[in-house]
Amino acid sequence: MKSLKDSYKLHNGVLIPCVGFGTYLSAEGDVAYNSVRTALDAGYRHIDTASVYGNENSVGRAVRESGIPREEIFVTTKVWNSDQGYKRTLKAFEQSMNNLGLDYLDLYLIHWPRIKGKEAQWAEYNRQTWLAMTELYRQGRIRSIGVSNFKPHHIESLMEVAEVLPMVNQIELHPGLLQEDTVGYCKEKGIVVESWGPMSRGKLLGTGVLDPIAEKYGKTPAQVCLRWHLQMGFLPLPKSVTPSRIEENANLFDFQLMPDDMAFISSISIETGTGMDPDKVAH
């Protein structure tokens, strides 16, 4: 990977830019709009949002008004748990597309596997949601489909009836939380792994554990962490609303972490996860 425009290839042949710009907690309005415009100006070509973030309108407007050809920007959104089910998913998709103001979507994800109040029926809801997404995919309205926060057994349950394998699994992933079982499963199946919270929402950076490595390469701890993701073969989704940090997080391609530094980062055991285990939480 030599630039933000370089891509991973999904198993259906679609190219997905190797770093995405996350918009979680970026408030609808000027905050979300300006951060996405800043990211696009800095070279990002992959924007990640979700219906539950409440900022699809601003994200879509920023994409449309950027002056960048639509086909050069990869846009992801997600179906929220309360919208799972065949008919609800179709309706939720139309709402998201109206919010975004786009003619097609590049990637649509199931946000979480378990639904609050319907925990025992999670498998059937996932399957019905996936059926709707598969229809939209085959109609050409979505270029690729995937899941988020799914463990291997969630995907296996889905695949008992699904005709299309997920192309992406977006999970919480960072030093200190490697999710080796899920990552290994996804690699075996050809599913691209995206990392949300790639810097543990700032927790890891606050520990100082990456400071010596950052000093060695003349980079920031954030850049070192994101570079680790890329060299591990992951697709990180850093987010910020601060222009200087948005640009900093894009500057990842003029250095390479040495094997011993990669090994050290991978061995970090500081507890930095959110504790949101997909088998234990429902939304």
Side-chain angles (χ1 to χ4, degrees), residues 217-236:
Y217 291 92
K219 291 292 181 179
T220 66
Q223 290 168 326
V224 165
C225 188
L226 292 171
R227 183 69 204 183
W228 172 86
H229 280 275
L230 287 176
Q231 289 183 217
M232 289 291 289
F234 307 144
L235 196 162

Side-chain angles (χ1 to χ4, degrees), residues 149-272:
N149 301 298
F150 274 48
K151 290 185 173 182
H153 63 274
H154 298 129
I155 298 176
E156 284 293 315
S157 172
L158 198 65
M159 294 316 299
E160 288 178 7
V161 297
E163 297 178 3
V164 178
L165 179 72
M167 292 135 201
V168 168
N169 188 11
Q170 184 180 125
I171 60 175
E172 182 181 7
L173 182 63
H174 46 74
L177 184 64
L178 301 185
Q179 300 230 43
E180 292 174 323
D181 288 346
T182 299
V183 168
Y185 175 87
C186 289
K187 287 188 174 181
E188 178 185 326
K189 300 294 185 180
I191 300 171
V192 168
V193 175
E194 292 185 338
S195 313
W196 67 258
M199 295 173 280
S200 66
R201 295 183 175 173
K203 293 180 185 177
L204 181 65
L205 305 185
T207 68
V209 69
L210 294 178
D211 290 0
I213 297 178
E215 184 176 352
K216 173 181 175 180
Y217 291 92
K219 291 292 181 179
T220 66
Q223 290 168 326
V224 165
C225 188
L226 292 171
R227 183 69 204 183
W228 172 86
H229 280 275
L230 287 176
Q231 289 183 217
M232 289 291 289
F234 307 144
L235 196 162
L237 300 165
K239 63 91 51 184
S240 178
V241 296
T242 305
S244 61
R245 288 181 180 170
I246 292 172
E247 294 177 8
E248 173 189 311
N249 291 341
N251 187 16
L252 309 174
F253 302 95
D254 59 351
F255 74 109
Q256 178 107 355
L257 295 171
M258 299 296 289
D260 57 338
D261 294 320
M262 287 291 296
F264 172 79
I265 297 170
S266 297
S267 72
I268 291 172
S269 59
I270 299 170
E271 177 51 55
T272 53

Side-chain angles (χ1 to χ4, degrees), residues 16-152:
I16 181 170
C18 63
V19 178
F21 181 72
T23 61
Y24 175 62
L25 296 182
S26 296
E28 174 77 336
D30 290 344
V31 172
Y33 176 83
N34 291 333
S35 65
V36 173
R37 285 296 303 269
T38 299
L40 292 170
D41 289 344
Y44 290 85
R45 291 297 181 267
H46 178 175
I47 308 297
D48 181 271
T49 185
S51 61
V52 76
Y53 297 172
N55 58 19
E56 288 176 324
N57 287 282
S58 298
V59 169
R61 184 164 67 90
V63 169
R64 297 194 312 271
E65 296 179 1
S66 67
I68 300 168
R70 170 68 184 93
E71 62 272 15
E72 294 182 15
I73 304 176
F74 193 100
V75 180
T76 300
T77 194
K78 311 174 190 76
V79 58
W80 186 238
N81 291 37
S82 59
D83 292 321
Q84 280 213 46
Y86 178 77
K87 290 183 178 179
R88 284 179 175 269
T89 296
L90 293 176
K91 183 178 179 180
F93 174 77
E94 296 299 342
Q95 183 61 60
S96 285
M97 295 306 290
N98 286 336
N99 292 343
L100 291 164
L102 302 177
D103 295 330
Y104 66 91
L105 189 64
D106 296 283
L107 177 62
Y108 202 34
L109 304 177
I110 301 178
H111 207 146
W112 285 87
R114 297 174 79 240
I115 304 169
K116 190 173 183 179
K118 300 173 182 175
E119 290 87 348
Q121 294 84 40
W122 66 265
E124 183 57 28
Y125 275 94
N126 287 177
R127 291 168 180 175
Q128 290 300 315
T129 299
W130 193 252
L131 178 62
M133 291 168 61
T134 300
E135 270 190 26
L136 294 166
Y137 168 65
R138 286 179 168 161
Q139 291 168 6
R141 303 196 64 195
I142 310 170
R143 298 178 66 226
S144 51
I145 52 178
V147 295
S148 181
N149 301 298
F150 274 48
K151 290 185 173 182

